[in-house]
Amino acid sequence: MNIRHLTHALMILLTSLVLGCGGGGGGGGGTTADTTPPTVSISAPANNASASGTVAVTASASDNVGVSKVELYVNGSLQTTVTASPYTFSWDTSSLTSGTYSLTAKAYDAANNSTTSSAVSVAVNGAKTGPATATLTLSIPSLPANTLVGGVIFNITLPSGVSPAVLSGTDASGSVTFTGSASGSLSVADYTAPQISFGSVTLSGFGTGNFMTVNCTVGSGTAVSPSGFSLSGIQVFDTNGTQIPTATINMSVLLF
C-alpha cells in the first residue's frame, strides 16, 4: 500500500469515528427546564360575597406539566395545603369577628414555579358580643312547578342570651315582619326560651324567596355567632293545605 492509499484509509477511519461519536451535527438531546408557572384563581366564594358559618372555599389551578399543590390563605395566613384536585377547604367563620377578609390561593408545580391568585374579598358576618341585635331572615328557596305556599310551621332556636326584640308575655309576634311579596298572618309565635314556635303562619299564595324577618336582641356580654341559631320542625303547605314534602325553609342571620 502506497502513501496515497494509506492516507485515504486513515481519512475514512477518522470520519467513521467522528460520526460514531455524534460529531457533525446534532445528536445529544438534553432536557429543557420547566419555567412556566401555574395559573390559579379563587372560584368560590365570589368577590364581595357575604359569608357566615362554614364556607366552602375553592381554587381553580392548572399548569403546562402539572400542579403539585395549592395553598389557601386568609388575610395572608396559610390555612391549608391541598395536593390534589378539587382544591377546596372548609373555612369556619363562626368564631371570627365581623369584617372583610381577603382570600388568596398559591399554586405550585413540580419545578417549584408558583403563582398567587388575585384576592377575593368576603364580608364575614361573624361573632358578636352583646349588646347587639340579630335579624333573622326566613326564605323558601324552591318549590315544585305550579305550586304556591299557603302556610308554614317551624321553630327557631335562639342561642343563650338572645331573645325576641319585642315580647309580650310569651307572644313574640311583635318581633316579626313579613317581607317581599309575602302577605300573611300569624296565629302562634310563642316564645319559651330558647325557642320561638311558629305554630301557624298563613301565606296567601306565596312563591319562593324571603317571606319573614324576626328581630332579636343579644344580651350584654353575650357572645354569639350565626351558627348558634337553628331551625327545626319545618312543614310547608300548599294553598290547599297539603304538605309539600320537598319544600324547606332557609334562615340567614345578621348580627349588628
Side-chain angles (χ1 to χ4, degrees):
M1 177 180 294
N2 58 32
I3 296 290
R4 185 168 63 85
H5 288 154
L6 179 60
T7 301
H8 181 68
L10 288 172
M11 288 296 295
I12 292 173
L13 178 61
L14 180 60
T15 300
S16 298
L17 289 172
V18 169
L19 293 177
C21 292
T31 59
T32 302
D34 177 12
T35 59
T36 303
T39 61
V40 61
S41 62
I42 299 286
S43 53
N47 192 37
N48 297 321
S50 297
S52 63
T54 300
V55 179
V57 179
T58 302
S60 298
S62 62
D63 184 69
N64 63 320
V65 176
V67 175
S68 61
K69 65 180 179 180
V70 173
E71 297 173 340
L72 294 158
Y73 293 80
V74 176
N75 286 354
S77 176
L78 178 63
Q79 303 296 304
T80 190
T81 300
V82 185
T83 57
S85 180
Y87 306 107
T88 300
F89 83 105
S90 295
W91 179 33
D92 183 6
T93 69
S94 61
S95 62
L96 300 178
T97 57
S98 296
T100 301
Y101 289 76
S102 176
L103 308 182
T104 54
K106 188 174 184 179
Y108 296 79
D109 63 14
N112 211 38
N113 300 306
S114 65
T115 302
T116 300
S117 72
S118 298
V120 168
S121 294
V122 178
V124 170
N125 179 42
K128 289 278 189 180
T129 299
T133 61
T135 298
L136 320 181
T137 301
L138 289 302
S139 64
I140 297 174
S142 62
L143 290 169
N146 303 315
T147 301
L148 294 176
V149 176
V152 292
I153 295 173
F154 60 96
N155 303 314
I156 299 176
T157 300
L158 306 177
S160 178
V162 178
S163 59
V166 180
L167 188 61
S168 176
T170 61
D171 181 11
S173 59
S175 303
V176 176
T177 303
F178 289 96
T179 63
S181 61
S183 60
S185 62
L186 292 171
S187 61
V188 179
D190 184 67
Y191 176 65
T192 301
Q195 186 171 275
I196 309 174
S197 300
F198 293 88
S200 179
V201 178
T202 301
L203 297 174
S204 303
F206 179 70
T208 58
N210 298 339
F211 67 88
M212 176 191 291
T213 60
V214 181
N215 294 311
C216 299
T217 58
V218 180
S220 180
T222 300
V224 297
S225 66
S227 62
F229 298 77
S230 63
L231 288 172
S232 63
I234 297 171
Q235 299 179 63
V236 181
F237 301 90
D238 65 17
T239 52
N240 295 317
T242 302
Q243 186 173 354
I244 309 169
T246 59
T248 189
I249 297 173
N250 289 348
M251 179 174 65
S252 66
V253 179
L254 289 178
L255 298 171
F256 301 94

